[in-house]
Amino acid sequence: MKCPKAEICGGCPLRNQELSNYRQEKFAKVSAILSSLPQPLPWGESFFIPDGTRRRASLTFNYKSKQLTLGFNQKSSNNIVDFENCLLLTARLNFVIPYIKELLKEMCSVSYNIKQGKKIIRQNITRGDVLLCDTQAGVDITLEFDAPLDLNHRMIISELSDKCPEIIRISHRRGVNAYAEPIIEKIKPFITIEKYKVYIPSGTFLQPSQEGETTLINLVKKYVGNVTGLVFDLFCGVGTFSYALASVNPSVKIVAVDSSPELLRGFRESINHNQITNLTIKERNLFKNPLDASELKGAEVVVFDPPRAGASSQVKVLAGISPDDRPEKIIAVSCHPATFVNDAKSLITAGYRLAKINMVDQFIYSNHSELVALFTKS
């Protein structure tokens, strides 16, 4: 589907291509990146997630001369491409965009006090980000800008939320790693993973679409197979794969590991709420302190889904485990093919076989691709 801003917007820079050509070229590009692996590529089916499914988005705003601009950044630029409706987003996210613009314009027009030495200076909010998430309960909004919220700002948020029943929570944080304070929470946002209701913290990372998440889960479950023993879910995030694996067989023991205290706190509350008894959570920075061979002892399967930087430290440990003690299967989920190559080379060099690989295109008309790969020890 055509978009009049496709030539300038960085949200989907390849939209001007015909769909079938776009898919062929994306697959060819990923294949070229993976061509340096020291074995033939055992490609499985590729999955392409369609337009109108993006449930999570990060938008940028700017307020200047009483004019508000909200949208994605222009390609290779800090300029913002303003829009009223985006073909990528779900219908509900598009529905709330005008309300968000109204909210930001009112908030930016109200000045607040800051103290500099002995002086009190009046300032206004002029720029920031808006994180949107279309949950099953409604739209969750996190406002991100380095400024305090005074009483006037909070009243504006409260009044605006009353106008739009689709908005169920609005939070604020002063930086990407700062605590997100819920200002209004009508209903606690949640998603459903397999049969479990999963409540999510403000501004949390989720797979960008429900369709993409389901595709990744199905591939991981397929490659895990009829496991009955111990499974590790590394870089687990909110527990996307852990929930799915916990539902397969109650005899399976899952150990989920991640470094985010806030994510894991919500994860623990959720598994208690859902009465999941075969899942254990550990807080660990796997980049700086990967699980060692003794901690992984007895693992039948290891699943890892790292950020774009890959999982080199943890993969080196996995590659160094003796053949008799290593997991039967390793399943890698990657959002960055180039770093996947580095991790895959380490595993293949250590004796693992790349048994199957799938491309999942969650970000239609973009240069981003995801992979799911199965490695076996024989």
Side-chain angles (χ1 to χ4, degrees):
M1 191 177 295
K2 297 296 183 181
C3 172
K5 300 186 178 181
E7 295 298 321
I8 58 171
C9 181
C12 43
L14 305 180
R15 185 171 286 277
N16 60 338
Q17 296 185 20
E18 196 275 327
L19 183 59
S20 61
N21 290 340
Y22 157 78
R23 290 178 172 180
Q24 291 173 9
E25 290 183 16
K26 175 160 270 193
F27 180 76
K29 182 178 179 180
V30 174
S31 296
I33 294 172
L34 271 57
S35 64
S36 63
L37 290 177
Q39 71 161 80
L41 297 176
W43 284 109
E45 181 182 358
S46 293
F47 298 87
F48 296 90
I49 308 305
D51 260 342
T53 60
R54 188 80 61 82
R55 68 179 177 186
R56 182 177 59 82
S58 178
L59 307 180
T60 298
F61 73 88
N62 183 65
Y63 184 73
K64 187 176 181 180
S65 301
K66 298 184 179 181
Q67 296 296 315
L68 181 89
T69 306
L70 174 70
F72 292 112
N73 284 114
Q74 186 174 333
K75 288 187 289 188
S76 305
S77 170
N78 288 325
N79 295 331
I80 301 170
V81 179
D82 190 82
F83 66 82
E84 298 295 333
N85 186 283
C86 175
L87 296 174
L88 294 174
L89 305 183
T90 63
R92 187 151 59 178
L93 287 187
N94 277 317
F95 177 80
V96 303
I97 292 295
Y99 292 93
I100 296 171
K101 287 188 171 184
E102 180 184 347
L103 168 69
L104 292 171
K105 190 171 183 179
E106 289 190 33
M107 291 181 66
C108 291
S109 66
V110 175
S111 59
Y112 60 92
N113 292 334
I114 63 166
K115 190 173 182 180
Q116 289 188 352
K118 295 182 179 180
K119 294 182 178 180
I120 300 295
I121 298 175
R122 301 289 290 174
Q123 288 195 348
N124 290 72
I125 301 163
T126 58
R127 63 178 62 87
D129 296 304
V130 181
L131 286 69
L132 305 178
C133 187
D134 185 358
T135 76
Q136 285 174 251
V139 177
D140 185 23
I141 300 172
T142 301
L143 307 175
E144 185 179 300
F145 48 80
D146 189 16
L149 292 184
D150 65 13
L151 180 60
N152 290 326
H153 293 131
R154 292 170 185 269
M155 289 177 63
I156 292 169
I157 290 173
S158 177
E159 291 169 2
L160 186 283
S161 70
D162 288 339
K163 292 183 179 181
C164 183
E166 298 292 338
I167 296 174
I168 58 169
R169 182 169 66 187
I170 302 177
S171 306
H172 168 249
R173 67 186 185 190
R174 298 190 65 166
V176 65
N177 294 315
Y179 168 68
E181 176 196 1
I183 309 302
I184 293 292
E185 185 176 88
K186 305 174 191 174
I187 307 171
K188 206 169 185 64
F190 71 90
I191 61 171
T192 300
I193 301 178
E194 299 289 279
K195 62 182 181 180
Y196 301 116
K197 182 181 285 189
V198 179
Y199 295 100
I200 57 172
S202 300
T204 194
F205 172 83
L206 293 176
Q207 295 298 334
S209 67
Q210 177 69 59
E211 292 79 359
E213 180 179 85
T214 300
T215 300
L216 295 176
I217 286 173
N218 288 342
L219 285 169
V220 169
K221 287 172 63 177
K222 174 183 175 181
Y223 293 145
V224 167
N226 296 318
V227 63
T228 57
L230 179 61
V231 178
F232 281 82
D233 180 9
L234 307 182
F235 307 94
C236 65
V238 297
T240 300
F241 301 123
S242 291
Y243 288 111
L245 296 172
S247 68
V248 171
N249 186 339
S251 69
V252 175
K253 301 299 181 185
I254 299 122
V255 179
V257 187
D258 205 284
S259 62
S260 169
E262 185 177 359
L263 276 182
L264 296 184
R265 182 167 54 251
F267 193 1
R268 288 189 181 94
E269 291 174 359
S270 186
I271 64 171
N272 290 334
H273 173 79
N274 286 289
Q275 299 182 332
I276 303 173
T277 58
N278 60 336
L279 207 167
T280 302
I281 296 172
K282 291 186 177 182
E283 184 180 332
R284 188 82 160 260
N285 186 326
L286 296 173
F287 294 108
K288 297 180 179 179
N289 188 20
L291 298 179
D292 62 31
S294 65
E295 293 171 295
L296 292 165
K297 188 174 179 61
E300 190 174 341
V301 179
V302 171
V303 179
F304 66 88
D305 181 14
R308 288 177 60 82
S312 58
S313 296
Q314 187 62 70
V315 165
K316 286 177 183 177
V317 174
L318 290 166
I321 298 174
S322 65
D324 290 339
D325 293 332
R326 63 180 41 168
E328 291 289 332
K329 298 176 180 179
I330 296 175
I331 299 165
V333 182
S334 172
C335 61
H336 192 34
T339 56
F340 167 81
V341 167
N342 297 329
D343 292 340
K345 282 181 178 178
S346 295
L347 293 174
I348 293 170
T349 301
Y352 278 94
R353 181 176 70 92
L354 177 56
K356 189 68 72 174
I357 186 166
N358 303 84
M359 186 184 82
V360 180
D361 182 22
Q362 283 213 75
F363 296 91
I364 188 171
Y365 296 121
S366 80
N367 291 303
H368 300 294
S369 299
E370 298 195 48
L371 301 170
V372 179
L374 168 65
F375 296 86
T376 61
K377 75 173 188 178
S378 59

